[in-house]
Amino acid sequence: MRDSVSVLIGGKAGQGIASIETLLTKGFKRAGFYTFSTKEFMSRVRGGSNTTLIRISKRPVNAPVYKADIFVPLDTNAFYHAQDRITKETFVIAKKGDFECDCTFYDHDLEGLAKSVGNPIVSNTIAAALIFGLLGCDVNVLREIVAQLYSNEMLEVNLKALEIGAKLGQENENCLYCIEPNLSAQQAKDFFLSGTEGIGFGAIAGGCNFISSYPMSPSTGVLTFLAKQSRNFGICVEQAEDEIAAFQMGLGVWYSGGRAITTTSGGGFALMGEGLSLSGITETPMVVYLAQRPSPATGLPTRTEQGDLELAIYSGHGEFPRIVLAPSDPKECFELVRKAFELADAYQVPVVLMSDQYLADSYFNVERFEIDPIAPVHHIVKTDADYKRYSINSEGISPRGIPGYGEALVLVDSDEHTEEGLITESMSVRNEQNTKRLQKRPLVAKVAILPDVEADGEIAVVGWGSTKYIIKEAVERIADKRLSTVHFSWVHPLCESQLAPLQKAKRLIVIENNATGQFAKLLRLHGITADDQILKSDGLSFFVDELSEKIALLLKEIR
Amino acid sequence: MSTRFDRIVEDNAWCPGCGNFSILAHLKEALEEMGLDPLQCVVVSGIGQAAKTPQYMHVHMFNGLHGRALPVAQGIKVSNPSLTVIAEGGDGDMYGEGGNHFMSAIRRNADIINIVHNNMVYGLTKGQASPTSQRGFKTPVQTEGVHVEPFNPIATAISLDASLVIRTFSGNKEHCKEMLKIAIAHKGYVLIDIFQPCVTFNKINTFKWFKENVYVLPSEYNPEDKVKAFEKSLESHPFPIGVIYKSPQKGVLEDVLRDESQIGSKPLYLHEVDFHALSNEMNKYI
């Protein structure tokens, strides 16, 4: 029996791929498997050629593979769009004659069958039941889910479709992809979350009570998630006229004691540069969720890339400290956005949280965790009569007052300012205030999160952000004792203790989902040189099978 | 008249004779006469000479970036509705750099007072045309004279159904102060466009020119008649001053967002996370 199976569904936008994804991921999860799903899609509302990949495994699986074990093209275009992903062993479920392949063909006219039960749209339910059968799973699990998802006539027709698919699945006697469930997985009741949902829940836990954003893929999911939850958790939601306003509104909210977030992608973040700088000099906290997609400019709007690291680290004019975090899975999304609110508040700096389309739109099996119910700490003070917003003290952080709480006025200024917060052109005051602000960098570096290090091989495979589990599984596949992995989720500012594992390694392979190796460049600034780089910027994430081949090839050279 | 809103400033950056001085004085007196508490007032400003106003008065201040006072002000009002929030700046700041925010702020209708010092010129950058500069106005940049029609903030605000639209003149103390009081007392967005002379860079639209080119709306004028108000907004040379338009009553942004999120009227810094509800919600994602 197999450990792991990959199922690829392809079709036009609006053809019901998302429904198959829901049915199968929920179904397999309830049947006792670990599941993971990810999607790639075109920038259009209807039509085009999109795919969703679902992995099913008896062991935790958190990364995509390129090659499909089972492929369901819902139309002819989908087949040609994904034909590189088919091997000789792939089971392809489609109507014969539409196309040819060197594969195992299951000749079923899904759409025709769907029409026979009264609605062509339910071909996706037939496909889901068929796949369930091909993997040797009990279709009753799927029946329960269909009953929960649909009502009235749609329930009836979907149940009919389910029976047809289940029958076709059972007729198959080729158990190449039969899979063994993991009973403990069934009992664990793990969360099944996307990166987007991880961010949304984490923001709530972090005390977020205001969001203003301008919609931009792939960040919009967090805006809609928080809008949907606004009533349950007391979150004020406003769609801003542009990203500039979105950021500025957030500053207004933090200035008066609220906890705001804004969400955007690279194009919008570019517009927020002036706001970031304002947050820096006024020492007003702010949290930005930056979900990356390929750029420059509009780039590939629905695809993925890690191309905005330098933008996040360097945008904004002048010199001021900031924090840049890059979570790797929905649980880390949850933890780091919560931490982002805490750090922004404690250090009075902007915090940028970097995700990308791949992480935002992928669903992960997340081991169940309890939420630590610790109320967010508001680092604000009740002002007394001699309060000064920008007082110089030994801690390096001026206590933050807010208007309407205490006896003093809170003066905040984008110009260089005195301790009171009024405009000044005094060089000595400039030096004092600037030094105080820049002092936060070493303060912040002290609390930096160390990279995740696995194994102790002398060749370190280094990554950051969303690539963690792809790199991890690729390295596991190679099973070469010389390898270790070092993964960064805190990418700026970097400190000595974070870099120690890299200094120890004999050779560094840095892997990034961009064309110029931005993280490797950052490491070089800290005196650490990448010996090899594996880069990818075609708009897709790395895939485990693809990446392990590339690493293996490199290792041959190193040998 | 001394007020609780006075701040002693040794180094004021405005030119002697600047219209900003009168606006500052009228504003402080209006706030004082209305019995407001400086600890409950926030003045948000952008960049420009007018935007320096909160530096010279005893109020909470957020002196931010060019054109960005309005979004900051709206954020503050939503965050803490008990504060009196004023967004103040010049014609370049509010109508030029901040044009999109001006339009959107009117539509959102937060309960804020938008004071615009309108001197029809860029003062801080030494005399270029502003959005309200009159046609033919010569500057070091517009060497042959401004070749576009001036922006009409009053007509724009009325067309967007602003809650309250006022124009006044800094040189008419009684009128200006009365208008500021009406603006402060109003619930909802208020545009108060104040004509003021720039004594250094605008030798055309001088104190005398403004005095000769404005007239006070008669007492029988009804600002609630939108069509009439729109007609008034198109009048120039002389320009009408007074309450030009008052929209039918409508909801304000902070109330709408707070109703939608059921957060009540408490300031956001008192908001607490409901971890029990959060756990329950996350349990749906298994």
Side-chain angles (χ1 to χ4, degrees), chain A residues 90-119:
Chain A
T90 305
F91 289 180
V92 175
I93 304 166
K95 199 168 101 189
K96 215 158 203 167
D98 284 358
F99 34 74
E100 282 178 11
C101 65
D102 187 8
C103 59
T104 306
F105 215 88
Y106 285 83
D107 179 17
H108 298 302
D109 175 10
L110 299 180
E111 200 171 351
L113 289 165
K115 276 182 191 155
S116 75
V117 295
N119 194 337

Side-chain angles (χ1 to χ4, degrees), chain A residues 146-346:
Chain A
V146 166
Q148 285 165 1
L149 288 177
Y150 300 100
S151 58
N152 303 333
E153 316 103 76
M154 278 319 284
L155 174 62
E156 206 178 303
V157 67
N158 271 289
L159 284 175
K160 278 187 195 161
L162 191 84
E163 301 312 328
I164 292 173
K167 199 159 160 252
L168 295 177
Q170 281 154 10
E171 280 168 11
N172 156 61
E173 284 172 12
N174 184 347
C175 218
L176 181 60
Y177 293 124
C178 278
I179 188 159
E180 195 180 2
N182 178 333
L183 285 177
S184 64
Q186 200 169 5
Q187 283 150 8
K189 291 204 186 303
D190 288 347
F191 296 121
F192 191 61
L193 294 170
S194 66
T196 294
E197 289 159 354
I199 295 282
F201 279 126
I204 293 168
C208 175
N209 45 37
F210 183 91
I211 177 168
S212 65
S213 298
Y214 189 87
M216 185 170 188
S217 291
S219 69
T220 314
V222 171
L223 171 64
T224 50
F225 180 92
L226 290 176
K228 196 177 124 197
Q229 298 292 352
S230 65
R231 200 163 266 271
N232 299 333
F233 297 99
I235 304 165
C236 296
V237 181
E238 182 61 14
Q239 184 175 315
E241 57 270 31
D242 53 34
E243 289 85 349
I244 294 169
F247 196 103
Q248 300 281 337
M249 275 190 206
L251 287 178
V253 167
W254 276 101
Y255 165 71
S256 43
R259 284 194 158 201
I261 191 172
T262 185
T263 58
T264 191
S265 178
F269 192 81
L271 294 180
M272 293 177 181
E274 60 161 32
L276 213 66
S277 181
L278 179 61
S279 164
I281 196 167
T282 60
E283 306 188 51
T284 308
M286 184 62 191
V287 177
V288 191
Y289 169 65
L290 165 55
Q292 302 163 96
R293 69 191 212 190
S295 295
T298 317
L300 293 166
T302 61
R303 308 282 171 185
T304 201
E305 190 166 280
Q306 293 182 303
D308 297 336
L309 179 62
E310 288 174 342
L311 177 75
I313 292 174
Y314 300 119
S315 71
H317 47 299
E319 300 170 296
F320 58 93
R322 73 188 77 188
I323 298 169
V324 183
L325 308 174
S328 59
D329 66 2
K331 187 176 183 210
E332 213 174 31
C333 283
F334 181 93
E335 288 165 351
L336 291 192
V337 69
R338 197 174 180 186
K339 195 165 184 78
F341 279 96
E342 169 61 22
L343 290 165
D345 204 335

Side-chain angles (χ1 to χ4, degrees), chain A residues 191-192 209 229 231 233-235 237-238 241-242 244 249 256-257 274 368 402 410-414 423, chain B residues 55 59-61 63-64 68 71 76 79 100-101 104 108 257 261-263 268-269 271 281-283 285:
Chain A
F191 296 121
F192 191 61
N209 45 37
Q229 298 292 352
R231 200 163 266 271
F233 297 99
I235 304 165
V237 181
E238 182 61 14
E241 57 270 31
D242 53 34
I244 294 169
M249 275 190 206
S256 43
E274 60 161 32
R368 199 176 177 77
I402 58 168
V410 181
L411 310 182
V412 156
D413 208 318
S414 65
I423 288 182
Chain B
Q55 304 275 342
V59 284
H60 293 287
M61 172 183 78
N63 180 202
R68 313 299 175 217
I76 294 171
S79 176
N100 194 15
H101 309 312
S104 301
R108 277 195 198 100
L257 294 195
S261 61
Q262 296 191 320
I263 205 163
L268 291 186
Y269 69 85
H271 170 258
E281 191 59 33
M282 285 191 76
N283 285 342
Y285 288 72

Side-chain angles (χ1 to χ4, degrees), chain A residues 382-527:
Chain A
K382 189 169 187 178
T383 58
D384 52 25
D386 52 2
Y387 172 80
K388 294 174 182 171
R389 173 64 187 92
Y390 298 110
S391 62
I392 303 283
N393 57 32
S394 54
E395 286 87 53
I397 305 218
S398 316
R400 189 164 70 93
I402 58 168
Y405 182 54
E407 297 165 38
L409 295 178
V410 181
L411 310 182
V412 156
D413 208 318
S414 65
D415 277 67
E416 191 53 88
H417 41 254
T418 60
E419 286 186 275
E420 290 79 10
L422 293 168
I423 288 182
T424 182
E425 294 192 39
S426 151
M427 284 94 183
S428 62
V429 174
R430 157 71 178 177
N431 279 339
E432 273 177 10
Q433 289 293 334
N434 205 25
T435 304
K436 182 196 70 178
R437 291 189 296 265
L438 292 172
Q439 245 175 15
K440 291 184 207 170
R441 190 186 156 121
L443 281 181
V444 160
K446 276 189 201 158
V447 296
I449 300 169
L450 297 180
D452 185 61
V453 181
E454 293 211 5
D456 51 8
E458 59 191 34
I459 303 172
V461 183
V462 184
W464 64 280
S466 67
T467 53
K468 181 174 175 178
Y469 292 94
I470 307 173
I471 295 174
K472 203 177 143 190
E473 193 179 332
V475 168
E476 274 167 14
R477 273 197 190 191
I478 298 167
D480 187 320
K481 285 207 168 115
R482 294 178 297 162
L483 292 177
S484 61
T485 58
V486 183
H487 198 88
F488 288 81
S489 59
W490 175 300
V491 289
H492 176 87
L494 292 175
C495 66
E496 281 305 304
S497 52
Q498 285 176 296
L499 299 172
L502 303 183
Q503 274 147 350
K504 218 175 67 184
K506 289 234 170 79
R507 198 170 176 106
L508 297 182
I509 305 172
V510 182
I511 295 175
E512 295 181 66
N513 217 171
N514 61 44
T516 59
Q518 298 184 17
F519 190 66
K521 280 192 260 175
L522 187 63
L523 291 176
R524 207 171 308 144
L525 282 180
H526 291 81

Side-chain angles (χ1 to χ4, degrees), chain B residues 211-227:
Chain B
K211 206 165 176 197
E212 287 166 0
N213 278 281
V214 299
Y215 75 97
V216 178
L217 283 167
S219 58
E220 65 271 19
Y221 173 75
N222 175 16
E224 294 180 21
D225 182 334
K226 192 170 182 179
V227 175

Side-chain angles (χ1 to χ4, degrees), chain B residues 247-286:
Chain B
S247 80
Q249 221 173 2
K250 52 185 169 184
V252 295
L253 176 73
E254 59 274 23
D255 289 354
V256 172
L257 294 195
R258 281 162 176 277
D259 282 351
E260 281 173 4
S261 61
Q262 296 191 320
I263 205 163
S265 59
K266 68 182 176 200
L268 291 186
Y269 69 85
L270 295 176
H271 170 258
E272 283 170 15
V273 181
D274 184 345
F275 284 102
H276 183 67
L278 182 57
S279 276
N280 286 344
E281 191 59 33
M282 285 191 76
N283 285 342
K284 296 177 189 166
Y285 288 72
I286 54 171

Side-chain angles (χ1 to χ4, degrees), chain B residues 7-237:
Chain B
R7 178 194 298 286
I8 295 153
V9 182
E10 288 162 12
D11 182 25
N12 187 305
W14 293 333
C15 309
C18 175
N20 288 339
F21 285 105
S22 336
I23 299 176
L24 172 66
H26 304 335
L27 177 61
K28 290 191 297 187
E29 285 179 27
L31 290 166
E32 179 65 60
E33 285 168 22
M34 292 181 75
L36 288 173
D37 176 358
L39 287 174
Q40 285 298 312
C41 295
V42 187
V43 179
V44 186
S45 65
I47 297 300
Q49 292 294 47
K52 292 199 176 100
T53 304
Q55 304 275 342
Y56 309 138
M57 56 191 293
H58 187 71
V59 284
H60 293 287
M61 172 183 78
F62 190 109
N63 180 202
L65 299 180
H66 198 29
R68 313 299 175 217
L70 284 167
V72 175
Q74 293 166 84
I76 294 171
K77 191 68 193 182
V78 171
S79 176
N80 190 347
S82 68
L83 299 168
T84 297
V85 181
I86 298 171
E88 187 153 9
D91 40 316
D93 194 29
M94 292 291 179
Y95 305 145
E97 194 86 37
N100 194 15
H101 309 312
F102 173 62
M103 192 169 82
S104 301
I106 294 172
R107 294 177 57 220
R108 277 195 198 100
N109 196 38
D111 180 21
I112 58 174
I113 304 127
N114 187 9
I115 302 176
V116 186
H117 301 214
N118 185 355
N119 57 15
M120 304 177 178
V121 71
Y122 279 5
L124 187 67
T125 54
K126 301 186 192 280
Q128 303 79 16
S130 90
T132 53
S133 293
Q134 304 290 293
R135 222 182 152 108
F137 182 68
K138 286 193 178 176
T139 83
V141 173
Q142 289 75 22
T143 52
E144 299 298 312
V146 170
H147 52 75
V148 291
E149 283 301 317
F151 176 70
N152 185 333
I154 305 296
T156 304
I158 295 170
S159 76
L160 294 167
D161 204 47
S163 186
L164 191 65
V165 182
I166 297 172
R167 181 156 54 203
T168 179
F169 168 42
S170 67
N172 185 338
K173 182 179 175 177
E174 284 320 307
H175 190 267
C176 188
K177 205 160 93 177
E178 187 199 333
M179 290 300 121
L180 280 164
K181 284 184 179 175
I182 291 172
I184 294 161
H186 182 78
K187 182 161 183 177
Y189 170 90
V190 185
L191 169 66
I192 173 162
D193 180 89
I194 310 180
F195 282 150
Q196 54 130 179
C198 172
V199 293
T200 307
F201 295 110
N202 191 336
K203 305 293 189 196
I204 306 290
N205 311 107
T206 58
F207 183 88
K208 185 166 168 276
W209 184 92
F210 279 118
K211 206 165 176 197
E212 287 166 0
N213 278 281
V214 299
Y215 75 97
V216 178
L217 283 167
S219 58
E220 65 271 19
Y221 173 75
N222 175 16
E224 294 180 21
D225 182 334
K226 192 170 182 179
V227 175
K228 276 268 157 29
F230 200 73
E231 278 174 16
K232 280 285 160 208
S233 76
L234 301 177
E235 282 182 17
S236 61
H237 311 88

Side-chain angles (χ1 to χ4, degrees), chain A residues 350-411:
Chain A
V351 180
V352 184
L353 206 77
M354 300 188 78
S355 162
D356 49 40
Q357 182 272 327
Y358 160 70
L359 175 57
D361 292 340
S362 295
Y363 284 84
F364 295 65
N365 203 105
V366 176
E367 197 178 327
R368 199 176 177 77
F369 60 92
E370 291 299 323
I371 306 160
D372 198 351
I374 293 180
V377 181
H378 290 272
H379 297 266
I380 52 175
V381 293
K382 189 169 187 178
T383 58
D384 52 25
D386 52 2
Y387 172 80
K388 294 174 182 171
R389 173 64 187 92
Y390 298 110
S391 62
I392 303 283
N393 57 32
S394 54
E395 286 87 53
I397 305 218
S398 316
R400 189 164 70 93
I402 58 168
Y405 182 54
E407 297 165 38
L409 295 178
V410 181
L411 310 182

